[in-house]
Amino acid sequence: MDDLKEQIELLERSDNLSASIADVQKAIDLLTAARAKIAADPQTAPLTLAKLHDPLKKTMDVAQKDLKPIYSGLNKYSRALEKKFKDKPLPAVENDALSSHPQLINRAIAMHLLREGQFSVASTFIDEANRNPPRPEPTPGTPNPYMQEAWGKDALNGDFNSEKLQLQFSEMYHILHELRQQRNLSPAIDWARNRTTVLEARGSNLEFELCRLKFVCLFVGRDEDGVITESEDGPLRAWQYARAEFAPFQTRYSREIQKLLGAMAFWPNVQESPYQRYFYNDSAWEEVAASFTREFCSLLGLSADSPLYIAATAGAIALPTLLKLQNIMKEKRTEWTTQDELPVEIPLPPSYHFHSIFVCPVSKEQSTDQNPPMMMPCGHVIAHESLDKLSKGVRFKCPYCPGESHPRDAKKVFL
Amino acid sequence: MAELTTTKLNAESHLLLDQPLLRMPYELSRRNFKTAQRYLERETSTLLTSLSSTSKASTKSPASQDQTLDSLDGMISKMQGLKRKLDGLHEEELKIHRHSKARLGHLHDLFEVKSLVDVKYDEWSRIRLSRLLVDYLLREGYSEAATQLAQEKNIEELVDVDAFIACHKIEKSLREGKRTNEALNWCKENGQGLKKGGSNLEFQLRLQQYIEMVRQGHEAGVENPGGGGEQRLIEARQHAKKFLSGSGDFELLGRAAGLLAYRPWDFVEPYASLYSPTRWTHLAQLFLTTHHTLYSLPPRPLLHIALSAGLSALKTPSCHSAYTSSSANASSSTTTVCPICSTELNALARNVPYALHTKSIVENDPVVLPNGRIYGKERLKGYNEKVGTEKGWVRDPVGGVNGERFRESEVRKVFIS
């Protein structure tokens, strides 16, 4: 890396066209001088012109010679690049399932831009994409993309309504902005209150968290700008707020509410009280904002982080492994046998695992809809196919414990 | 046995996607240099020839002083023109180097990050995604959106907007304008590189010119028999002699020659396909491939490469399952939606293979509800506390508060190895 940087700096600093430009200027100077001389004394013209020839030629030769350092500099840089990327060929896309679905990629990008809050880029993009619809390319997996184009189009018009999505996300960004920058909880609380039942069913305590934060703000007397004023009537206003708003939370959050109200007794000394962590917690705002984002996206059926981001990052992490695989397959001239499963395991950070995975301990295969995990009465789980093979339809012994059971007693489970 | 999970970041091998990032400016600066060299050589030789001829003329007829001054003026202004051109190239050169440096800096940042779970890696990866998106948009010809995105993300130095816009202008001139001159100019500018790569783009363009001439000839012949049609056909033949005869592809040349006899509306194969307008699409495609190879750009957008790998690495059989997954779904706040299940990517991921796992990955202390759903004990408890389930009862997070509830005693431990 440093090597490359050095080369570039050298090119930038010295090995550039400036020397040749100076030479050309010299040639111009020579010509102008000769012209002045001839204009002053026409008789000398033949002589001056003859004399001009050699220096002019020399100057121009120098100008060309001055290009040489650039040439060799570029060559050196190119060699350094070669070295850097010698063992890193561009990955070939052998199973390119994407080129045949440009519509879907475009939709994913549009949604990504919207959820990242880049509304103007998104609308430019949607405009351009509508003006020049993409051209699907056939790939081995999907030989005739045009067949499916209608389906892609449907998806674009059907459940993808960019304006609606944009409205939703601009609401989200408005609320987040108020939360983070203005420390204003009201829009978030209003949003949550309008969706109380849904949120409650999800087991989300977002609404309560927001209200609690509001209570805390009032208590410590945060003014409009978020500056702690420790004003005298803080606890009183907080208490009034609690009386007005906390009633619906009484059943579910009675303990938390007791804690909040218990803190009243310690005013103005909360900092040294056991309740300190509820009241002076700087990360509280970020936490609330994050949990708001998650709830908001989940209600739209979307993941909290941009899937495009996660997938592209996971892809970059996976590529070295896939490249190694490609090389090995080329060497051994084999092809992978199961088309619907990758032939190698790809190590990803734990945060990239979303679903639980069940791998049958007998067959070592992942469970699928056709081959679901089955729990035997003893509590051990194996895949359906393994169960069939082991039991052959009659009572059999669990491979992991002495328990015996009939296959019909095994129960399908969901992870 | 390979590790199941990793948080280690090997920056060196992580750069697979980033080769074009450095290649492109290198190719651009080389081209820039070649242009400068060509200008300088050409101007030098014309300068020296005109100087000698002026010199000769002035010796022969010393009286023609005005003429001498005039030709000197001509030389001066030509040199000034050269200097202006070189100045422009110099500016371009410095700009390209600045880009290269910014890119090296950007890649260097990655070497400072040691772990994949580092916040810094997250930032870096977000910049990379924006880069890949801009690259994709440019390739698809959505240059306005690309420019805007690059500006908003402040990554203009990391993407090659101008080069792609120039490329698409030429592509469009072929595909929509049905003109060959822009593309031919480009071939001329990059002649050496194309010759080295054995490209037949120029031949194909010349062939297209010939086809169009023949077409015009036949059409004129019908409209105005005995008029300019014949002349046009003769020109076409000369054109073919000049540009096409050297190719060596006699089969194709034979077909091309046949065009003189068969008219576009005769629909006789194999000549009709040469008259077909789809040839323009083919030419546009050929131009793009040639352009990308010349600049060491991968034939497919990098986003495709990253995404197909990523979709597979993340995809599980649960992502397109008919049953709701207990571990990642939208129905309770204890789980997040999996990116593959999310609307954006779900349909796209249908065609890619799913990731291989050799070991189960489940939450700690899995328990099973009477309805067959498995949850981590802690998570189930946490959810039920939050929704305020009555004591002694348990609710299924997927079913929600209004769903079925089960007796706590019915919740069983389950063993997953």
Side-chain angles (χ1 to χ4, degrees):
Chain A
M1 213 84 242
D2 294 336
D3 190 24
L4 286 168
K5 205 164 187 170
E6 230 168 75
Q7 300 290 352
I8 276 294
E9 272 164 6
L10 194 65
L11 283 169
E12 200 179 16
R13 209 171 43 240
S14 55
D15 296 347
N16 56 39
L17 288 173
S18 52
S20 297
I21 292 174
D23 295 329
V24 172
Q25 183 55 49
K26 262 183 222 153
I28 295 175
D29 291 344
L30 282 173
L31 284 166
T32 358
R35 190 196 180 278
K37 202 167 174 198
I38 294 168
D41 184 2
Q43 294 309 317
T44 58
L47 188 63
T48 318
L49 284 174
K51 264 195 191 157
L52 183 59
H53 190 269
D54 276 355
L56 200 57
K57 186 169 185 307
K58 218 182 251 165
T59 317
M60 292 314 280
D61 283 348
V62 171
Q64 288 192 28
K65 216 185 264 161
D66 281 339
L67 288 178
K68 277 215 175 110
I70 311 183
Y71 182 72
S72 62
L74 282 174
N75 270 350
K76 258 188 223 153
Y77 181 63
S78 149
R79 274 200 295 277
L81 268 183
E82 281 308 326
K83 209 170 119 202
K84 182 92 200 152
F85 291 107
K86 194 177 65 192
D87 46 351
K88 300 193 226 5
L90 276 177
V93 204
E94 278 171 4
N95 288 285
D96 187 355
L98 302 183
S99 292
S100 47
H101 299 301
Q103 303 268 16
L104 289 176
I105 299 184
N106 283 354
R107 185 181 68 166
I109 292 177
M111 286 177 82
H112 168 81
L113 292 172
L114 286 175
R115 74 149 64 220
E116 298 281 293
Q118 283 164 320
F119 301 125
S120 65
V121 181
S123 67
T124 314
F125 170 60
I126 292 167
D127 255 17
E128 273 188 302
N130 284 339
R131 260 185 283 137
N132 309 303
R135 298 174 296 274
E137 280 171 40
T139 52
T142 40
N144 191 355
Y146 294 96
M147 288 278 285
Q148 292 182 345
E149 203 184 4
W151 165 71
K153 243 183 206 145
D154 267 1
L156 205 67
N157 300 333
D159 53 77
F160 180 60
N161 181 338
S162 71
E163 272 155 41
K164 203 169 135 215
L165 203 64
Q166 174 160 352
L167 273 181
Q168 280 160 336
F169 277 110
S170 63
E171 185 189 1
M172 182 179 104
Y173 278 97
H174 168 69
I175 295 175
L176 278 177
H177 177 81
E178 289 291 317
L179 262 185
R180 287 202 175 110
Q181 268 79 40
Q182 311 293 326
R183 304 264 146 145
N184 175 8
L185 286 157
S186 312
I189 292 178
D190 289 344
W191 181 87
R193 194 149 289 164
N194 286 333
R195 290 160 184 80
T196 304
T197 27
V198 200
L199 288 175
E200 233 169 69
R202 296 169 45 75
S204 154
N205 40 16
L206 178 68
E207 191 184 348
F208 177 68
E209 274 171 23
L210 289 165
C211 289
R212 182 170 66 185
L213 197 57
K214 177 94 182 175
F215 175 87
V216 169
C217 285
L218 290 170
F219 188 90
V220 299
R222 226 183 262 276
D223 64 14
E224 292 297 298
D225 301 322
V227 179
I228 297 173
T229 54
E230 308 247 354
S231 67
E232 290 291 323
D233 57 347
L236 191 66
R237 277 167 48 208
W239 187 68
Q240 279 167 348
Y241 179 78
R243 276 192 25 162
E245 305 287 342
F246 278 7
F249 302 124
Q250 199 57 49
T251 44
R252 276 173 66 186
Y253 303 100
S254 55
R255 275 174 59 88
E256 272 83 2
I257 293 174
Q258 275 165 21
K259 279 181 202 159
L260 289 177
L261 297 180
M264 292 246 157
F266 284 88
W267 194 84
N269 218 1
V270 184
Q271 296 253 31
E272 281 123 58
S273 78
Y275 300 106
Q276 190 251 349
R277 68 192 176 93
Y278 296 106
F279 288 86
Y280 296 93
N281 182 354
D282 284 332
S283 57
W285 290 93
E286 263 318 300
E287 278 164 24
V288 161
S291 96
F292 166 74
T293 315
R294 210 178 58 220
E295 292 301 329
F296 193 99
C297 291
S298 286
L299 289 191
L300 296 175
L302 304 175
S303 60
D305 221 333
S306 163
L308 209 57
Y309 166 70
I310 295 179
T313 309
I317 298 172
L319 271 177
T321 316
L322 292 177
L323 181 73
K324 214 191 253 169
L325 166 80
Q326 235 172 42
N327 290 341
I328 291 172
M329 286 205 305
K330 217 180 272 164
E331 245 170 59
K332 304 218 164 138
R333 299 211 183 127
T334 50
E335 279 183 19
W336 90 58
T337 42
T338 43
Q339 269 298 321
D340 48 359
E341 192 176 45
L342 283 182
V344 277
E345 205 157 358
I346 289 165
L348 289 174
S351 57
Y352 286 79
H353 291 291
F354 293 88
H355 295 280
S356 291
I357 303 283
F358 177 71
V359 177
C360 172
V362 177
S363 66
K364 302 289 175 200
E365 279 172 7
Q366 266 186 89
S367 58
T368 58
D369 274 11
Q370 291 74 43
N371 185 21
M374 303 293 283
M375 182 180 71
M376 294 169 281
C378 57
H380 288 104
V381 184
I382 58 177
H384 192 273
E385 281 173 12
S386 305
L387 181 81
D388 281 350
K389 266 185 206 150
L390 283 176
S391 69
K392 301 188 182 73
V394 293
R395 275 184 80 80
F396 73 112
K397 187 189 98 50
C398 164
Y400 295 95
C401 74
E404 274 190 28
S405 63
H406 196 276
R408 68 165 171 262
D409 295 331
K411 216 169 133 188
K412 191 161 151 184
V413 289
F414 306 91
L415 280 153
Chain B
M1 165 126 187
E3 289 169 272
L4 292 178
T5 60
T6 183
T7 55
K8 212 172 69 206
L9 171 66
N10 182 351
E12 198 64 52
S13 68
H14 208 76
L15 293 182
L16 278 175
L17 281 172
D18 305 309
Q19 189 173 170
L21 189 69
L22 297 180
R23 286 269 178 204
M24 184 80 181
Y26 165 70
E27 297 291 345
L28 286 174
S29 61
R30 217 173 56 123
R31 205 185 98 172
N32 197 59
F33 165 73
K34 293 266 174 214
T35 319
Q37 198 179 28
R38 216 172 46 229
Y39 281 153
L40 200 56
E41 271 169 18
R42 207 175 55 202
E43 292 301 322
T44 306
S45 71
T46 40
L47 174 74
L48 292 179
T49 6
S50 63
L51 180 63
S52 353
S53 64
T54 318
S55 169
K56 249 180 230 155
S58 75
T59 349
K60 261 187 209 154
S61 53
S64 61
Q65 181 217 0
D66 283 347
Q67 239 172 23
T68 315
L69 286 183
D70 275 356
S71 52
L72 265 177
D73 280 339
M75 282 184 248
I76 291 174
S77 78
K78 266 214 163 139
M79 288 309 275
Q80 271 160 346
L82 172 66
K83 193 176 164 232
R84 259 198 311 279
K85 274 182 191 158
L86 289 181
D87 275 334
L89 289 171
H90 181 52
E91 228 164 78
E92 182 67 26
E93 172 188 62
L94 289 182
K95 193 179 111 196
I96 296 169
H97 291 334
R98 218 170 35 243
H99 284 194
S100 294
K101 224 167 118 183
R103 288 164 195 215
L104 282 169
H106 167 66
L107 293 185
H108 193 79
D109 287 345
L110 184 67
F111 284 78
E112 310 277 296
V113 185
K114 294 289 171 255
S115 160
L116 291 172
V117 288
D118 197 329
V119 194
K120 276 200 210 126
Y121 178 70
D122 200 63
E123 281 166 24
W124 194 86
S125 186
R126 277 186 196 279
I127 299 178
R128 171 177 55 199
L129 176 65
S130 307
R131 256 169 45 207
L132 297 184
L133 284 177
V134 174
D135 172 72
Y136 172 84
L137 293 175
L138 286 171
R139 278 166 183 269
E140 297 294 307
Y142 305 138
S143 37
E144 277 170 50
T147 320
Q148 216 175 333
L149 181 61
Q151 269 166 5
E152 278 197 18
K153 290 282 177 186
N154 208 4
I155 51 166
E156 283 146 303
E157 296 196 328
L158 304 182
V159 290
D160 302 289
V161 177
D162 299 342
F164 271 103
I165 288 180
C167 161
H168 272 281
K169 224 168 158 183
I170 300 175
E171 190 234 333
K172 225 173 160 180
S173 78
L174 287 170
R175 195 188 293 276
E176 283 159 29
K178 308 214 189 305
R179 287 189 311 268
T180 48
N181 42 350
E182 279 104 326
L184 276 170
N185 269 344
W186 183 84
C187 284
K188 214 160 113 197
E189 275 169 35
N190 297 282
Q192 250 178 342
L194 292 178
K195 219 181 266 166
K196 222 187 252 168
S199 145
N200 74 340
L201 175 65
E202 187 170 356
F203 171 74
Q204 290 291 344
L205 290 169
R206 292 292 182 196
L207 178 62
Q208 190 63 38
Q209 281 185 326
Y210 164 79
I211 295 170
E212 294 310 315
M213 286 163 119
V214 176
R215 191 200 309 275
Q216 283 164 13
H218 285 308
E219 277 165 8
V222 171
E223 279 162 23
N224 181 13
E230 286 303 315
Q231 186 53 39
R232 200 75 183 128
L233 288 180
I234 292 169
E235 278 170 29
R237 220 189 60 221
Q238 283 162 348
H239 178 88
K241 199 169 155 193
K242 189 167 167 201
F243 293 111
L244 303 181
S245 53
S247 88
D249 184 349
F250 296 112
E251 200 264 279
L252 184 59
L253 286 180
R255 271 171 70 196
L259 296 186
L260 293 171
Y262 289 96
R263 296 164 302 177
W265 50 90
D266 290 338
F267 298 113
V268 176
E269 283 298 354
Y271 311 107
S273 54
L274 285 179
Y275 282 124
S276 157
T278 56
R279 259 190 65 86
W280 287 105
T281 327
H282 167 75
L283 280 176
Q285 202 55 47
L286 181 67
F287 167 74
L288 280 185
T289 336
T290 315
H291 176 271
H292 292 347
T293 335
L294 190 71
Y295 285 109
S296 320
L297 293 168
R300 298 234 183 265
L302 289 168
L303 187 70
H304 282 195
I305 300 174
L307 269 188
S308 3
L311 291 179
S312 276
L314 293 170
K315 186 177 164 184
T316 70
S318 313
C319 295
H320 294 94
S321 161
Y323 308 101
T324 313
S325 158
S326 302
S327 45
N329 55 56
S331 51
S332 93
S333 62
T334 53
T335 57
T336 49
V337 178
C338 149
I340 305 294
C341 299
S342 197
T343 331
E344 287 100 322
L345 298 180
N346 197 259
L348 260 184
R350 211 170 270 281
N351 302 312
V352 303
Y354 52 77
L356 171 77
H357 288 279
T358 51
K359 262 194 166 169
S360 299
I361 304 175
V362 287
E363 294 163 77
N364 287 335
D365 280 335
V367 293
V368 60
L369 296 179
N371 64 2
R373 291 208 159 270
I374 295 181
Y375 295 97
K377 200 173 170 186
E378 277 305 305
R379 183 154 71 87
L380 191 64
K381 207 174 118 197
Y383 172 81
N384 277 288
E385 270 171 16
K386 278 184 186 165
V387 295
T389 311
E390 302 81 347
K391 225 179 156 46
W393 294 86
V394 176
R395 283 186 197 281
D396 179 352
V398 169
V401 265
N402 303 316
E404 210 181 338
R405 56 175 196 171
F406 307 97
R407 285 188 189 283
E408 220 165 52
S409 53
E410 288 178 299
V411 179
R412 289 192 47 194
K413 232 177 139 45
V414 60
F415 304 101
I416 293 174
S417 46

